Amino acid sequence: MKRILKNLTVCLLVSAFVILPSIGTAADFELFWDPNCNADADLEGYYIYYKQDASVVGDPAGAIDVYVALTDIGFDPDNPSYLIAGLLDDVRYCFAVTAWYGDEESGMSNE
């Protein structure tokens, strides 16, 4: 039986928080999103995809991916977020999130 995983909602524009760096340092970006709308006992975690100067959703090739398990220490499944450290100053990054169900992954969120 295949799950429908298309309803992952991610609030990037409203909930994004950038920690402004000092001159000559890298930036940190904290990404927040709504929990998976189809959350059930099989949800294992989320993938965060990001890359510089190009769409992740339109072209995921070359994107960096980070897996966040629901069981990671400090991760709150009811208020999911992730801090990405060391991003380059003055560079545009695109982000997208997917839900992970073992061997199945939802479609990507909006960027």
Side-chain angles (χ1 to χ4, degrees), residues 45-81:
Y46 296 94
Y47 270 101
I48 300 166
Y49 294 90
Y50 66 99
K51 68 180 182 176
Q52 296 178 11
D53 296 320
S55 172
V56 175
V57 175
D59 181 17
I64 296 169
D65 61 20
V66 177
Y67 180 70
V68 183
L70 296 182
T71 56
D72 285 354
I73 294 173
F75 184 76
D76 180 0
D78 295 324
N79 298 295
S81 67

Side-chain angles (χ1 to χ4, degrees), residues 17-60:
F17 176 68
V18 177
I19 300 169
L20 297 175
S22 303
I23 303 259
T25 62
D28 294 343
F29 183 81
E30 189 161 8
L31 188 64
F32 299 87
W33 62 94
D34 289 337
N36 184 12
C37 298
N38 295 323
D40 60 28
D42 293 337
L43 177 66
E44 294 181 16
Y46 296 94
Y47 270 101
I48 300 166
Y49 294 90
Y50 66 99
K51 68 180 182 176
Q52 296 178 11
D53 296 320
S55 172
V56 175
V57 175
D59 181 17

Side-chain angles (χ1 to χ4, degrees), residues 12 29 31 48-50 56 84 87 93-97 110-111:
L12 297 179
F29 183 81
L31 188 64
I48 300 166
Y49 294 90
Y50 66 99
V56 175
I84 299 172
L87 300 177
Y93 289 86
C94 294
F95 299 85
V97 178
N110 295 328
E111 292 178 318

